[in-house]
Each structure stands twice: as structure tokens, then as C-alpha cells.
Amino acid sequence: MAAPYVEQDVSAVSQMISALEAARKDKRHGGFSCKKTTFKIKSSRDGIEVDSWRMQDWDYKKKGLPTYARGLFTTKTSRNVPEIAVRGYDKFFNVNEVNETKWDVVLKNTKGPYELTLKENGCIIFVAGLEDDTLLVCSKHSTGDRSDVELSHARAGEIRLEKQLAAVGKTKEDLARELRSRNITAVAELCDDSFEEHILAYENDKAGLYLHGINLNLPEFATYPSNLVQEFADQWGFIKTDLLVMEDVNEVKTFLEDVAKTGSYSGRDVEGFVIRCKMSRNHTALPYQDWFFKFKFEEPYLMYRQWRECTKAMISGKQPKFKKHIKITEEYLTYAKKQLVANPNLSKLYNQNHGIIKLRDDFLAYKNIKGSDAANLDLLDRVVMSEVTKDVILAPIATIGCGKTTLALALKHLFGWGHIQNDNISGKGRPPRFVKALMDELKEHPVVYADRNNAQRHERKQLIGDVKAQNVEARIVCLNFRHDEETIDEIRRITQDRVIERGDNHQTIHAATDKDKYLDVMEGFIKRFEECNPNSPPDAGFDLVIDLDPTAGSRVNLETLVNELHLSLPNVLKEVPSPEKLDEAMEYALSYTPDFKHTIPDRGGKKDAKQGQRQQQQAQPKKKGLEYMSVRVGTDQIDRVLDKAFKGVGPEISRFFWQLKNTRRVQRQFHVTLMHKATAAQYPELWKRYTELHDAAGGGDAIMGGCDVLLERVVFDDRIMAIVVRLFDEENKWECVNKVAHITVGTRDPAVKPKESNDLLSKWLEVGAGNEGIQEVVFADKPTLKGQVKGVTYR
Ligand code: GDP
Ligand code: MG
């Protein structure tokens, strides 16, 4: 196979550089910031200078950047022509870190071959050739040419390189010329414990420069296939990076998830894999490009990192902080302390990143346990309170939109437990009254959910203190919605999306009016958030801490919570409900329409209390009137039918469906509207009948009956998608006033309202599919679902 070769295009390169310059000068330009550092290359005969361009990690998530290269150096030739001197990979992300690396998106947008390389664990080194045959060796943002006293990464890389070239009888100039003639940058990982020790061990013959990629020096990303990278490594004395090739993306996924279970691959602890493949965001319109993503393993790697950080804390006389692997980490630290006391030199070396692995391995050997098993010991650390049968309080630590209320509603639905919402308490002295309400609720229920954010320690202190003062027997379980540094941006995005969505999806409530203010309130909670530390007060006062992940979705959190409660409080939660029951409870909880103005912070003070009262009044008018009548059908069932239908058709037809999915514009719940209040004047008799039936059923969202829903076909244009249905009930009780009974699947953006399905379907009746941009997919099996007839009310 011939190596790909593309010359630099001067105008493309200068355009890229001007865009970067503009961003550097104007921080807001294009919404990203960029830093330039100029280095004079000491070893260059002609005194060549290179500019390093550096953007912030998170800026790479933005659209429309001049380049996505992470690690980029430019220069000018002797004829004053701008050129790219060094080009790193396009910044790539971990699975689930960004939309494009979500598995379902990866499955859809990428194609093989998938080349998996071990995520080597050192520092990245770029090697390229300058015009005067100088070999440029640099790290991500530095050439190592500053008069730093310490040995820089780049310099350490260069020394390694000199050794390896000598071993194959070549010179640095040879390599420089070769790289330049191919217009490429060699990308390698310097793994060498004698220089700097990372988490994984590289000694003796394992140490060196691992060549893992060769990039063309172009603004857009183009990289050599791995077989050519390996060939080049052989020729120039690099160590080859292990490589696995798979054709099928499902095989890739299964493989990674399998290895992740142990964090070790062919007998060696690894940090993760980088997966190289081709990706197109739209197969029909855009070509496939080189694209990478990564899959980082959790354990035992994370435990090792925790040990390393704790050891360093201990050495500098600080209290080690850790949340996971508590027991084994405590044991490790006791062991480490002994070693460090016995050998004072060890501390000094450890701080310079030496001896980290040995200390860890010595401990594991002493315990006679493997790293992966040690990381699994947590399961044995479990607190089991079999004696407890009642007086359990579930108290979240969270921020707005994490799904606290959703979980509470699901639990209430499943087990009939109590639920006290802080939002429903207004006026003076809310904290003690909140606790009082909890204690009252415990008289009726074995478990009560204390629905409040408790984002700050003082709130937890108040809650735990006041509860235990009134009932020492009460057990307080912390539902810790973790806000880790790595996930905080994602949490922000998800919770804001949810809250905005909850506002805009309503047909009558427009959260948009107060949106900015509300987002500020949300941000305030995130800013003030103080993480749970079960090892010290006040959080040590929790009887049990269950970690939840706000980014995982409420269904996942519900399952985690239910499983954990069952294991730790077996006589409170005696049996874990079936997945179907959990689905159903989640559906119920998500269909609850909480009101938007409610969750204003509970931060005490007169002003807030007053505000609270005002909101209270605003939020709860006397009666909730019927807004519309609906037949609710199961989310999962509809999802399955749609997935199946669109998997069976070509990309041209399925494009809009995937667009809706990827932009999270598919409804979370599906219903057929029988009749909306807006048409009451047109059908006064029917509306009267429906409101009476609704009242008779108790109002709210009580189930008023059943109705079979036959799914016939899905119809859509580029704005909206709806399923055409037929309704069957024995008594012919449920009449639909719409011309075509339907379920709206989703709309392109919030500006397109669900009720526009009526317009779409009118047009469809008139002109038929295949005309005026209207398309359809007829369901092969025309499934019939059991629907629940419900009135929908808004406050
Ligand atoms: P709280 O502020 O922590 O009580 O959050 P809520 O439980 O009220 O959830 C905020 C909004 O997000 C509500 O509209 C929920 O229906 C919605 N929501 C909760 N969990 C999920 C989920 O897993 N997925 C989606 N898409 N929405 C959710
Ligand atoms: Mg809530």
C-alpha cells in the first residue's frame, strides 16, 4: 500500500493561521480562545522559529474551528511561505464524552477497519523535519528549547530518539529529510520510568518511543493507516504500538466492555484504548474522514491513581481524601506509611514520580491480591443494615435538574414511600419545618424521600443534626448525585437541556420567559456545590452513601438506587422490582409535570422566604383544569417500533429520524391526543363529556380507561414526524377529533410545535407520500399497543 501524500496548500494554511491569529487577539472570535508561543529552534542552522498554537480542551467541542489539531506548530520558509511544521491528531474524546462518541452515534456514523491501539501512558512527542534538515522534536506545546533547568519532555524525547537512530545506523538529518519529503509528523509516546513515572510500568526494554501515528501536515486531519505506521517504526527504530484490527463496530464495543471489566489486557494493566476509524456525520452527503475516539478504563486504574494521590497527600502532611475503595485504600495507606517512615528517601523520590508502581505492587504482593480484585473489594465493604425495617430517610446531594423529584416519584409509585418536597414548604424557618414534615411522614411510611438539593455542607449538617435529634434510630441514606470535575460540563449541559426542554415542550407553559434567570439559579447551585465526603463531618453522619450519576439518566439511577437499597437495607426494600416495573415507574415519573417556577433556592433570609411565598401563590392556583385528553403508549415500545422500521430503510429515508434522535428531539413520552381544550368550542358536547369523566376519575393524571392503538405508518417531512394510528376500544368511548389520529414522534426544533402534526397529515392525505417533501415508512407488522387513557392537566 502506498503512503498517502498530500502537499501543503499555501492558501489553506495561511487561512488557518489568520483565523488562529484572529482568535488569539479577540478572545470572543468564533467563541474560542487560542494562545500562541514562539520558539527559536536552537539546533537550526538557519535560526528557524516556530509558533505553537494552543486551545483549551473544551474549545475543541465547538463547531467551525480552523483546525482541530491538538499540538500544532507553524513556521515560515526562507521564502516567507507559511507552513505547518508539526501536526498532532485531531483532539479526540472518550466514549460518551461528547455526542459524537455516544455509542449509538458511533455505531451509526463510523466504518471500519477499526484499529485499536493501547492508550500508552507517557507523554506525547511529535517529530518533524524543518526546511534546513533540522529535526524538530517537541511535546504538545513546547519544543524544549527554552533554557529550562529541568529536563523537558521534548528534550528527553530527543535523547531517546538519538539513541534509537544510532541503533539503526541513521542520523537525525536523515529522519528530518524523510519526514519533510512526506509532509508528515511522526507521533510517538515517550514511556520511560527512568525519566518520569506514570501510573503504568515501563522499564528496560519496554521503555522508549512508541510510534503510534503519522499525520499529514494539513489543517484537516489525515493520518496513515496503522500498517504503514508500523512499517515506519521498524525502519526508524521506534517501538511499535500494539494494534488490533476489527471490522465490525459491535465487535469493538463488546471487546472494549469486556476488557474494561478487568482493566487488564494480555496480562498487563492498561489505561484504555484509542480507536481509529473513518467517520461521516452524514453518509449520503459527506465523505468519510479519519477519526479517533478513546475508551478509558475505570478500574483498577482509577484506584491506582487514587492511591498515588493519597500517598502524595500523606507525604506532604495533608489528609488523604478518597471516596471509593475505602477499606483497601486505608490498608494501602497504612502499609505505605510504614514504608515511607522506614525509608525517608522514598518520600522524596515518590514526589518526583519514582517508586509509585513498586510501592503499589509491593502492597498487592503483601496482600497477595491482584489489582483488579482489590478494586472489586468494595462490594465486600458493603454496609448491611438487616435490622432496619423503617424510619429511613433518603436525602439527595444534588443540583437542579439532576432528577431528584423524578426518582422520588418513581419510588413512591413502586413502593408507596413518602415524599416531602422542600419546594412545597414556604415562609419562615423552612429547614426545621422540612425536617418536621419528614418526621411526620415517617409515621405513615417506612421510608421518606427528603426532596431537597442539600448541595452545601451546612444543609446536610442541619438535616442530619435535626433528624437525629428527634429520632436517633432514623437512618439517613445519602443519594449522592456525583458532580465530578470530569463530568461537570456534561451535568450542566444535561440539566439545562432538561429544564429548558421541560419548559418548551409544554404547550401552554413557556419557561422561556424566565429562562435566563432560571439558568442563573441553576448555575448558582453548581457553583456552591460541595461534594460529599463520607469520611468527615457532616457527611460522615450519613448511614449509607449511594453514588448516582446525573449524566446517566434517571432510569439508570433508579435501578442503581433500588439495587443498592435492596442490598444494604434488605428488610426495607425486600425485593427488587422487575425491569418492566422499573420502566413503568420511570414512565410514570417522567410524565409528571412539575412546575418550573417552583425550585427557586432555599437559602433562608427574609427576602427569599417572601419570594418563596410569592412563587407558591403563583404556582398553585386552586384547581387544575383539563388541558387535553390523551391515550398514552409505552415509550420503549414506540422506540423499538421506530428503530426497527428505520433500520430497514436506506439512509435517505432514515436521515431525519436519526437527526431527531441525535439532537434529542424525539419525545420522551408518546401519546395520541384525543381532544385539546383549544377545540372545546368546536366540540362542546364531547369536551363536556371528557371533563366530567376526568373529574369522575379523580382529576389529575388518573387513568381513565384503556384503548388499543394500532400503529400503521410513520409520516414525516424535514420539520416534524408523526405516527398514523387507529384507535380501538370496545365501547367506542374514546373519540378523537383530529382528522388523522396520530402520535407526534418529534419536531426539528422547539419552534416547530407538536400540534403541527395535524398540518403535516392533512397535506399527506391530500398529496400522498413521495410528494412535496413528505415521506412515509409503513410498518410491516402494524403492531397494536395497549394505551392508557388519561387527562392531562397543567397548573
Ligand atoms: P430535580 O430538579 O432534581 O427534582 O429534577 P427533576 O426530577 O424535576 O427533573 C428535571 C426534568 O428532567 C424533569 O422535567 C424530568 O421529567 C426530566 N428528567 C428527569 N430524568 C430524566 C431522564 O433520565 N431523561 C430525560 N430526558 N429527562 C429527565
Ligand atoms: Mg425537584
Side-chain angles (χ1 to χ4, degrees):
M1 189 197 286
Y5 176 75
V6 182
E7 241 177 272
Q8 294 198 27
D9 172 42
V10 180
S11 77
V13 172
S14 41
Q15 254 179 39
M16 176 193 79
I17 295 176
S18 336
L20 292 170
E21 274 292 354
R24 180 171 78 89
K25 288 184 185 137
D26 174 5
K27 287 247 147 46
R28 283 159 307 155
H29 178 93
F32 68 99
S33 63
C34 175
K35 199 175 143 205
K36 175 167 108 172
T37 318
T38 303
F39 296 94
K40 198 165 162 53
I41 307 301
K42 279 207 201 112
S43 52
S44 159
R45 269 189 325 223
D46 301 351
I48 295 179
E49 288 187 353
V50 296
D51 294 327
S52 148
W53 300 92
R54 174 178 202 164
M55 289 182 266
Q56 298 295 349
D57 263 5
W58 55 85
D59 277 334
Y60 291 96
K61 295 186 183 171
K62 294 180 176 152
K63 289 213 175 85
L65 301 188
T67 181
Y68 288 82
R70 182 133 175 83
L72 177 72
F73 294 78
T74 60
T75 184
K76 280 200 170 127
T77 67
S78 51
R79 286 175 297 121
N80 211 25
V81 176
E83 69 173 17
I84 295 175
V86 163
R87 209 254 187 235
Y89 299 129
D90 268 11
K91 164 82 186 165
F92 53 94
F93 296 96
N94 201 10
V95 159
N96 288 329
E97 189 176 355
V98 293
N99 190 49
E100 273 168 355
T101 59
K102 298 233 148 77
W103 271 121
D104 57 333
V105 181
V106 171
L107 259 48
K108 181 169 80 73
N109 286 354
T110 65
K111 70 172 187 187
Y114 296 86
E115 299 174 343
L116 283 66
T117 53
L118 283 179
K119 200 171 167 308
E120 293 299 343
N121 180 249
C123 60
I124 201 162
I125 296 288
F126 299 117
V127 190
L130 294 172
E131 195 185 14
D132 62 358
D133 295 342
T134 305
L135 189 70
L136 179 56
V137 184
C138 48
S139 59
K140 223 179 283 159
H141 304 295
S142 163
T143 63
D145 271 296
R146 277 180 304 186
S147 52
D148 292 342
V149 196
E150 270 182 63
L151 187 58
S152 71
H153 287 122
R155 188 63 198 125
E158 187 165 5
I159 294 169
R160 263 284 162 189
L161 197 57
E162 282 164 5
K163 257 204 239 168
Q164 92 188 36
L165 287 172
V168 292
K170 294 191 167 142
T171 66
K172 289 204 279 181
E173 288 72 26
D174 292 339
L175 180 57
R177 269 191 295 271
E178 177 75 10
L179 293 168
R180 189 168 179 83
S181 72
R182 293 173 177 238
N183 189 34
I184 55 175
T185 299
V187 190
E189 200 81 4
L190 174 63
C191 300
D192 185 352
D193 296 342
S194 63
F195 169 57
E196 180 185 62
E197 207 172 272
H198 290 263
I199 303 284
L200 310 170
Y202 293 95
E203 279 166 5
N204 306 328
D205 63 329
K206 283 254 193 304
L209 282 166
Y210 285 71
L211 185 70
H212 46 67
I214 296 178
N215 298 338
L216 288 158
N217 293 334
L218 304 169
E220 67 277 9
F221 184 41
T223 193
Y224 278 25
S226 287
N227 60 331
L228 295 177
V229 176
Q230 303 228 323
E231 206 173 278
F232 195 91
D234 277 339
Q235 284 162 4
W236 296 90
F238 289 94
I239 303 176
K240 282 188 282 193
T241 306
D242 279 338
L243 173 77
L244 277 166
V245 183
M246 296 179 191
E247 290 300 327
D248 179 5
V249 62
N250 288 302
E251 190 189 341
V252 173
K253 183 164 182 277
T254 315
F255 169 81
L256 291 172
E257 287 168 350
D258 243 31
V259 184
K261 285 180 195 145
T262 59
S264 99
Y265 171 66
S266 58
R268 191 175 142 203
D269 282 339
V270 295
E271 201 190 341
F273 282 87
V274 177
I275 303 96
R276 296 146 192 253
C277 60
K278 304 266 182 202
M279 191 271 280
S280 163
R281 291 179 182 88
N282 177 352
H283 310 190
T284 48
L286 301 170
Y288 280 89
Q289 285 184 323
D290 288 321
W291 187 71
F292 292 10
F293 65 101
K294 62 185 169 192
F295 188 96
K296 287 214 286 196
F297 296 139
E298 303 255 291
E299 297 293 1
Y301 187 80
L302 294 180
M303 184 182 70
Y304 293 163
R305 185 159 68 186
Q306 174 172 299
W307 288 3
R308 184 190 63 193
E309 293 311 313
C310 287
T311 313
K312 286 191 172 176
M314 204 162 70
I315 290 172
S316 59
K318 286 192 220 123
Q319 180 73 26
K321 246 175 67 176
F322 50 97
K323 294 179 277 202
K324 287 190 99 176
H325 311 300
I326 296 186
K327 222 166 137 199
I328 189 81
T329 301
E330 280 166 353
E331 276 186 63
Y332 162 81
L333 286 173
T334 311
Y335 178 88
K337 194 167 186 174
K338 267 197 208 134
Q339 305 298 314
L340 292 169
V341 169
N343 183 357
N345 202 27
L346 207 61
S347 302
K348 202 169 134 225
L349 286 169
Y350 200 99
N351 268 341
Q352 294 162 2
N353 290 332
H354 291 288
I356 297 172
I357 294 157
K358 179 158 190 312
L359 186 56
R360 174 185 91 202
D361 286 349
D362 286 353
F363 168 71
L364 291 172
Y366 155 81
K367 286 282 295 176
N368 193 18
I369 190 172
K370 280 202 303 204
S372 48
D373 292 338
N376 273 331
L377 282 179
D378 276 15
L379 302 175
L380 306 176
D381 286 352
R382 169 173 304 287
V383 184
V384 182
M385 299 175 274
S386 335
E387 72 285 5
V388 178
T389 56
K390 61 180 173 63
D391 292 344
V392 176
I393 293 176
L394 305 180
I397 296 182
T399 54
I400 298 176
C402 281
K404 296 180 300 296
T405 304
T406 304
L407 278 189
L409 292 166
L411 295 172
K412 189 169 165 178
H413 189 75
L414 286 167
F415 310 111
W417 290 345
H419 176 202
I420 297 295
Q421 297 207 58
N422 192 47
D423 300 332
N424 291 344
I425 295 173
S426 63
K428 274 196 187 143
R430 288 170 84 197
R433 287 171 49 217
F434 180 59
V435 170
K436 166 107 182 23
L438 294 173
M439 303 319 277
D440 286 346
E441 195 82 343
L442 281 183
K443 291 178 191 147
E444 319 257 320
H445 306 276
V447 183
V448 59
Y449 193 104
D451 196 349
R452 185 172 91 170
N453 282 310
N454 301 310
Q456 288 180 282
R457 270 196 286 274
H458 72 84
E459 292 161 298
R460 274 112 75 180
K461 186 170 169 216
Q462 178 265 330
L463 178 72
I464 297 169
D466 286 7
V467 165
K468 299 264 167 167
Q470 294 182 42
N471 180 355
V472 273
E473 288 295 308
R475 309 295 165 118
I476 311 178
V477 178
C478 170
L479 314 187
N480 185 27
F481 288 84
R482 294 187 59 153
H483 284 52
D484 297 336
E485 223 169 286
E486 308 92 73
T487 50
I488 193 74
D489 285 341
E490 183 73 355
I491 293 174
R492 202 177 264 125
R493 189 182 66 73
I494 289 181
T495 54
Q496 289 183 359
D497 274 7
R498 282 179 185 172
V499 167
I500 290 166
E501 195 177 332
R502 142 171 111 182
D504 284 345
N505 265 0
H506 284 197
Q507 281 143 308
T508 54
I509 299 174
H510 291 287
T513 40
D514 272 348
K515 195 170 102 186
D516 289 341
K517 188 182 130 217
Y518 206 81
L519 293 183
D520 282 350
V521 172
M522 292 179 72
E523 186 57 27
F525 271 83
I526 292 190
K527 286 241 167 67
R528 291 192 300 276
F529 189 88
E530 294 171 319
E531 67 179 30
C532 177
N533 186 353
N535 299 319
S536 64
D539 299 330
F542 286 121
D543 296 279
L544 175 68
V545 176
I546 297 175
D547 280 344
L548 301 175
D549 176 1
T551 68
S554 294
R555 175 63 178 75
V556 171
N557 284 332
L558 176 65
E559 187 156 342
T560 309
L561 179 56
V562 166
N563 286 332
E564 291 292 317
L565 287 175
H566 172 64
L567 292 169
S568 285
L569 290 161
N571 288 315
V572 175
L573 202 164
K574 293 200 170 118
E575 201 182 323
V576 174
S578 68
E580 292 74 28
K581 281 244 169 67
L582 295 179
D583 283 346
E584 198 255 333
M586 190 42 56
E587 213 167 284
Y588 164 83
L590 287 173
S591 71
Y592 168 83
T593 46
D595 73 84
F596 192 61
K597 300 214 164 181
H598 242 188
T599 349
I600 297 289
D602 47 330
R603 300 184 56 211
K606 264 194 185 149
K607 204 169 125 239
D608 282 346
K610 261 198 202 136
Q611 214 176 18
Q613 268 167 353
R614 242 196 340 270
Q615 272 139 14
Q616 214 57 43
Q617 284 152 12
Q618 230 170 21
Q620 292 179 327
K622 277 152 261 141
K623 199 167 166 221
K624 292 197 278 175
L626 181 62
E627 195 69 21
Y628 64 91
M629 285 289 298
S630 73
V631 185
R632 177 76 54 76
V633 284
T635 309
D636 288 349
Q637 291 169 305
I638 297 286
D639 280 343
R640 244 177 275 136
V641 170
L642 289 172
D643 278 349
K644 188 168 154 210
F646 282 106
K647 273 189 188 135
V649 297
E652 200 47 56
I653 294 179
S654 62
R655 193 194 57 81
F656 184 57
F657 176 65
W658 296 117
Q659 176 190 325
L660 290 177
K661 280 208 122 171
N662 289 335
T663 53
R664 314 197 336 146
R665 295 291 311 160
V666 174
Q667 309 248 20
R668 281 204 308 278
Q669 271 163 11
F670 300 101
H671 68 264
V672 185
T673 299
L674 295 174
M675 177 174 182
H676 196 275
K677 192 167 93 183
T679 55
Q682 242 173 306
Y683 309 97
E685 288 293 305
L686 185 61
W687 186 248
K688 185 158 165 280
R689 178 152 75 83
Y690 278 157
T691 41
E692 282 168 6
L693 284 170
H694 180 238
D695 284 343
D701 56 2
I703 298 171
M704 295 163 60
C707 182
D708 285 350
V709 180
L710 178 143
L711 310 180
E712 191 181 279
R713 69 186 78 211
V714 55
V715 177
F716 52 97
D717 56 14
D718 62 356
R719 292 165 50 79
I720 191 162
M721 176 176 285
I723 298 173
V724 175
V725 305
R726 284 169 202 277
L727 300 176
F728 299 98
D729 70 294
E730 276 168 18
E731 303 161 61
N732 262 334
K733 197 161 149 195
W734 309 119
E735 210 177 310
C736 174
V737 305
N738 286 329
K739 194 148 47 161
V740 184
H742 63 268
I743 294 167
T744 300
V745 174
T747 71
R748 185 180 60 191
D749 54 61
V752 183
K753 297 293 173 208
K755 68 167 198 256
E756 291 180 39
S757 289
N758 283 312
D759 307 332
L760 170 79
L761 295 172
S762 292
K763 203 158 113 199
W764 167 74
L765 276 183
E766 202 179 306
V767 301
N771 297 303
E772 298 192 26
I774 297 180
Q775 295 181 302
E776 69 174 14
V777 177
V778 179
F779 300 125
D781 45 358
K782 300 209 176 36
T784 299
L785 312 185
K786 294 258 171 254
Q788 294 177 333
V789 180
K790 282 181 170 188
V792 176
T793 59
Y794 292 138
R795 277 178 219 201

